[in-house]
Amino acid sequence: QVQLVESGGGVVQPGRSLRLSCRVSGFTLNNYGIHWVRQAPGKGLEWVAMITSDGSGKFYADSVKGRFTISRDNSENTLYLEMNSLRSEDRAVYYCARDSGYRYRWGFSDYWGRGTLVTVSS
Amino acid sequence: EIVMTQSPATLSVSPGEGATLSCRASQSVAGNLAWYQQKPGQAPRLLIHGASTRATGIPARFSGSGSGTEFTLTISRLQSEDFAVYYCQQYNDWPPITFGQGTRLEIK
């Protein structure tokens, strides 16, 4: 079955970096785009970034543009979110989610991981 | 950026009754609107896409309607497992993809 499993979260000081991973199984990764969506404690959902199935397109929310980088390694069935210059407001559970479009970027997600918590604190 | 506004923030309903949740877009999103359900400690779950198409495995008591800027999620005959937070999301014009702030459906 389709699974997405995030890892790499933890506690990091403001201004430092962290790399999240999302390992997928149950589908062919290079046929689907992947989103990162975050949720601050007790708050709603915020879209962060998306990478297209072939990796040629990368899209970011303004709140993370220039600080976060999304990438993928289809041979390893893994997506990455490199987060630099972290701020307190980046504290959230980060979910990776599969775009529903087969080799097409729809924009809504049919499968989600369970999330990984990032805490930014000195 | 398209702003999505959901109402009400909290809805109290008794099991067995129906619930109607609303979502408004700041500009037209055509029919490119999805609904998600999220329970505490869990990831969001896709319920509806294309404003009215149920996702795989979603019970028929969930239905979506609307187009343009006004959308509705209707849940008939509420069951205990339906009490959760519901989010709408537009994917007509992105980036950015935008979500509503959520409606908490609680047991009355």
Side-chain angles (χ1 to χ4, degrees):
Chain A
Q1 72 276 27
V2 172
Q3 284 192 311
L4 299 93
V5 180
E6 303 91 340
S7 61
V11 180
V12 61
Q13 293 180 326
R16 303 299 291 267
S17 300
L18 201 62
R19 187 177 80 160
L20 305 183
S21 300
C22 170
R23 186 168 181 88
V24 310
S25 59
F27 66 99
T28 302
L29 180 58
N30 61 10
N31 288 331
Y32 291 89
I34 300 291
H35 301 265
W36 286 95
V37 176
R38 68 184 180 184
Q39 186 170 37
K43 302 298 185 181
L45 301 170
E46 179 189 14
W47 176 80
V48 173
M50 187 269 186
I51 186 166
T52 55
S53 57
D54 63 0
S56 64
K58 300 178 183 181
F59 309 92
Y60 299 93
D62 285 348
S63 58
V64 306
K65 198 173 294 182
R67 299 188 300 123
F68 289 13
T69 302
I70 191 171
S71 62
R72 61 193 294 154
D73 184 340
N74 288 339
S75 65
E76 294 291 329
N77 290 321
T78 303
L79 285 299
Y80 302 99
L81 186 68
E82 184 76 35
M83 305 185 295
N84 299 321
S85 303
L86 282 161
R87 306 167 180 168
S88 58
E89 55 263 36
D90 295 319
R91 179 189 181 210
V93 173
Y94 285 74
Y95 298 100
C96 59
R98 190 181 83 167
D99 190 276
S100 65
Y102 179 84
R103 297 184 181 180
Y104 178 80
R105 55 182 184 99
W106 266 116
F108 66 93
S109 297
D110 53 0
Y111 291 93
W112 296 62
R114 299 174 67 94
T116 186
L117 176 63
V118 173
T119 301
V120 184
S121 174
S122 54
Chain B
E1 171 178 324
I2 297 176
V3 177
M4 307 301 293
T5 303
Q6 292 185 240
S7 61
T10 303
L11 184 59
S12 299
V13 184
S14 299
E17 296 185 341
T20 300
L21 289 66
S22 297
C23 176
R24 173 176 292 178
S26 61
Q27 63 190 75
S28 177
V29 298
N32 296 311
L33 190 285
W35 290 94
Y36 299 88
Q37 176 194 68
Q38 188 179 33
K39 298 179 181 179
Q42 296 185 18
R45 173 193 181 196
L46 177 66
L47 297 175
I48 301 283
H49 61 89
S52 60
T53 302
R54 279 189 302 277
T56 303
I58 301 303
R61 64 179 183 275
F62 291 89
S63 64
S65 64
S67 66
T69 61
E70 300 285 343
F71 300 88
T72 300
L73 175 69
T74 301
I75 313 170
S76 60
R77 301 181 303 279
L78 280 162
Q79 300 186 5
S80 57
E81 62 265 31
D82 299 335
F83 292 93
V85 179
Y86 292 83
Y87 294 94
C88 62
Q89 177 227 317
Q90 70 83 19
Y91 54 95
N92 186 64
D93 182 12
W94 66 279
I97 287 167
T98 49
F99 292 88
Q101 80 280 18
T103 289
R104 180 178 305 277
L105 181 58
E106 64 177 27
I107 299 175
K108 185 175 183 179

